[in-house]
Amino acid sequence: MPENEKLEQNGAKPEKGKKDSKSKPGVFARIGKWLREMKAELKKVQWPTRKQTFNNTVVVIVCCIVVGVCIGVFDWLAQSVIGALLDLFQ
């Protein structure tokens, strides 16, 4: 919650033109806080097992092969049709 909203909720009005030296922590404090929060979030992640990772990898490879074959067949078919049309009109 921004500092101005906190002050408004407490009944005080923010003073204009005055900067609070504690309103923004230093760069190293912010980096440290970010690293601590990142570590906490990474602990919450449910990492896949080795078997799940292997199965997912196999599925991706098979899908890539199937899509590649489909594109190859379509390319060959299109090339044959265009070649036949060019031979027909020459």
Side-chain angles (χ1 to χ4, degrees):
M1 182 179 290
E3 189 65 29
N4 291 345
E5 290 180 17
K6 286 180 184 177
L7 290 173
E8 289 175 6
Q9 284 182 350
N10 294 335
K13 292 188 177 182
E15 297 177 16
K16 291 185 179 179
K18 228 181 183 183
K19 289 196 174 190
D20 188 6
S21 62
K22 295 182 181 180
S23 66
K24 189 174 182 182
V27 69
F28 292 111
R30 288 184 287 166
I31 291 172
K33 180 181 176 188
W34 180 78
L35 288 172
R36 284 189 303 276
E37 289 175 355
M38 182 179 62
K39 185 178 177 182
E41 287 297 321
L42 286 175
K43 286 182 180 180
K44 297 176 187 177
V45 173
Q46 182 178 354
W47 298 101
T49 63
R50 185 176 294 270
K51 185 177 179 181
Q52 289 172 329
T53 304
F54 179 77
N55 289 340
N56 291 343
T57 303
V58 169
V59 168
V60 168
I61 291 171
V62 168
C63 287
C64 288
I65 290 171
V66 168
V67 169
V69 167
C70 290
I71 290 173
V73 167
F74 178 76
D75 183 50
W76 172 79
L77 186 64
Q79 183 180 2
S80 298
V81 169
I82 290 174
L85 286 174
L86 288 175
D87 288 342
L88 184 67
F89 291 114
Q90 280 186 353

